Amino acid sequence: MTQDPISSRLAPHVKHLSAGDAAIAGSLLTIDLGALEINYADLVEKSGEAECSAVIKADAYGTGLEEAAKTLWQAGCRTFFVAHPQEGARARSTLPDATLYALNGLVGDDTDATMSYYHTHRVRPVLGCYEEIDLWSRYCRSIGEALPCGLHFDTGMNRLGLSKKAAHKLSDAWTTQPPPFTPTLIMSHLACADDPHHPLNSTLLDRFRAIRALFPDIPASLANSAGVFLGPDYHFDLTRPGIALYGGLATSNRPNPMQTVVTLNSRVLSTRHVPKGQSVSYGASEVTKRDSRLAIINMGYADGYLRTGSSSDKRKGARVYIEGYEAPIIGRVTMDLTIIDVTDIPEDAVKRGSWVELFGPHMPIDEVAAIAGTIGYELLTSLGLRSLRRYL
């Protein structure tokens, strides 16, 4: 192949950058695995006598399933939860000896091939309806092996889960004839644990206690992240923290005690002076109220930074942190770019190439999410693939 003459002349003088080189990164997603480990240790302590598991669904809440799973295993975690069977297969490649549960139950066609997928990857489905119980029973009989699984009972979410009536029916039936599978966990889900004073918390606890009494020999689990903070009555045998592991706020109206795990930064591409009375970004939804200095950053909704964080003349949008100062978004967040108002920041502090923190230790993710009309969960799990990932 003939070498390009221009490339040939420049080659001795130019550093050739790879796609993973920070020098050409327009945005940087930093995942602090040390903070993840600290958070897990804190939740282990708060779980008391109960085993503390880890929920690693949705790519470990956007942090990267493999890296998070490996860190949590090294920290002592032995039981993990995913949502889908494919997530379980990914987790199994990193966690050969872990106990893995799939919260969404038997996802896929009602065929032996689907059941075999769970079996092959040793992912325990959490069965939440009679149809799933029948399917798992049929498959276990066909292979002559009582495979493990979880059982999900609905105590008030009205989402997934078997009813209280079903719990009594199964308990009575299994007294005389054990099931063809091995139930290794019974679980339910708290609907309002993020509000510690919500009356439904104690109601759901009482309902789960009644169901648990029907299966006294099977380990039980009720507490999600917020449930861990409700205290030992909610812990049972196994807690299932998710968002708190990754630094998100688990309970409302309280300071967040968890370490920051995820920080999203983006570069300033350029700055410009804009006179008073000029519209900014798509839709002309916001007009400058003064002579302004604006900075354009390399981040948009295609990167997972939500469009609902936009600003307009009618509502204030999200804020960012840059060079020791906070700055507001001005106008709409677009697919690839976001504009911030840096008028109140010294001019020499913000320039092309400056790094902006969209969320992280100085700009808590849950505060950004609240302004965008959502929760930290959505911001984390919406993170795009264009940011260069760096693991600490």
Side-chain angles (χ1 to χ4, degrees):
M1 179 181 295
T2 303
Q3 188 174 29
D4 176 70
I6 297 178
S7 298
S8 179
R9 291 199 307 271
L10 293 178
H13 311 289
V14 175
K15 176 186 177 184
H16 293 284
L17 303 175
S18 68
D21 198 310
I24 59 168
S27 55
L28 183 63
L29 184 66
T30 303
I31 294 98
D32 189 340
L33 297 174
L36 175 62
E37 189 171 352
I38 291 171
N39 287 344
Y40 178 72
D42 189 21
L43 290 161
V44 167
E45 182 179 359
K46 285 181 170 59
S47 296
E49 297 182 2
E51 178 189 352
C52 184
S53 67
V55 180
I56 54 172
K57 63 183 180 177
D59 200 30
Y61 287 60
T63 65
L65 187 150
E66 287 79 7
E67 291 289 345
K70 183 166 49 177
T71 299
L72 291 163
W73 176 268
Q74 292 171 348
C77 185
R78 294 296 178 263
T79 301
F80 297 80
F81 288 84
V82 296
H84 301 157
Q86 299 95 324
E87 293 176 329
R90 279 182 61 191
R92 179 57 70 200
S93 65
T94 301
L95 302 167
D97 300 316
T99 298
L100 293 175
Y101 287 96
L103 290 165
N104 285 17
L106 293 171
V107 179
D109 293 337
D110 295 346
T111 63
D112 283 351
T114 296
M115 310 305 126
S116 179
Y117 190 90
Y118 287 81
H119 184 193
T120 299
H121 296 288
R122 291 179 290 126
V123 177
R124 303 180 183 185
V126 179
L127 310 180
C129 62
Y130 279 125
E131 292 87 347
E132 289 185 332
I133 288 176
D134 291 342
L135 287 167
W136 200 238
S137 296
R138 185 191 69 193
Y139 180 73
C140 289
R141 290 191 187 99
S142 72
I143 64 170
E145 187 176 351
L147 297 175
C149 65
L151 294 173
H152 189 170
F153 292 96
D154 177 30
T155 51
M157 278 281 282
N158 287 302
R159 196 173 60 172
L160 293 177
L162 294 148
S163 67
K164 180 181 178 181
K165 180 179 179 180
H168 282 277
K169 183 177 179 180
L170 293 172
S171 176
D172 292 342
W174 293 347
T175 299
T176 57
Q177 184 176 358
F181 50 77
T182 303
T184 54
L185 184 72
I186 61 169
M187 60 163 282
S188 189
H189 201 74
L190 292 163
C192 302
D194 58 328
D195 179 357
H197 305 293
H198 200 291
L200 193 58
N201 291 327
S202 59
T203 299
L204 269 54
L205 175 62
D206 290 341
R207 291 174 183 172
F208 187 65
R209 281 173 170 162
I211 291 172
R212 196 272 172 87
L214 300 172
F215 307 95
D217 298 326
I218 303 175
S221 177
L222 178 64
N224 54 2
S225 286
V228 173
F229 292 91
L230 289 179
D233 286 348
Y234 292 81
H235 294 168
F236 291 90
D237 302 299
L238 179 78
T239 61
R240 309 188 309 271
I243 190 66
L245 285 170
Y246 308 103
L249 182 66
T251 58
S252 58
N253 301 319
R254 290 183 180 180
N256 187 355
M258 313 313 294
Q259 299 284 317
T260 298
V261 174
V262 181
T263 300
L264 180 64
N265 293 99
S266 185
R267 289 187 193 271
V268 171
L269 295 175
S270 67
T271 62
R272 63 178 54 214
H273 291 275
V274 178
K276 177 181 178 180
Q278 296 293 304
S279 63
V280 179
S281 195
Y282 286 126
S285 60
E286 186 161 10
V287 174
T288 54
K289 310 301 187 298
R290 57 183 174 172
D291 291 345
S292 303
R293 185 176 184 234
L294 308 182
I296 295 83
I297 60 176
N298 194 75
M299 174 64 55
Y301 57 78
D303 302 285
Y305 193 71
L306 301 183
R307 188 172 182 267
T308 49
S310 299
S311 179
S312 72
D313 289 330
K314 296 181 179 179
R315 66 176 294 272
K316 296 297 182 183
R319 300 179 69 83
V320 302
Y321 182 85
I322 178 169
E323 302 295 343
Y325 299 87
E326 289 190 12
I329 287 174
I330 181 169
R332 289 183 183 171
V333 174
T334 67
M335 182 180 288
D336 311 302
L337 302 168
T338 298
I339 306 169
I340 59 174
D341 186 340
V342 295
T343 309
D344 295 326
I345 301 176
E347 189 154 340
D348 60 354
V350 179
K351 54 187 179 296
R352 173 177 162 78
S354 295
W355 285 103
V356 180
E357 181 184 307
L358 283 300
F359 53 77
H362 305 99
M363 190 58 55
I365 188 170
D366 292 286
E367 291 183 15
V368 178
I371 293 171
T374 185
I375 53 178
Y377 298 73
E378 185 176 12
L379 269 181
L380 282 176
T381 58
S382 297
L383 292 171
L385 301 177
R386 296 197 296 191
S387 298
L388 177 64
R389 292 197 171 214
R390 178 179 65 175
Y391 288 92
L392 303 181

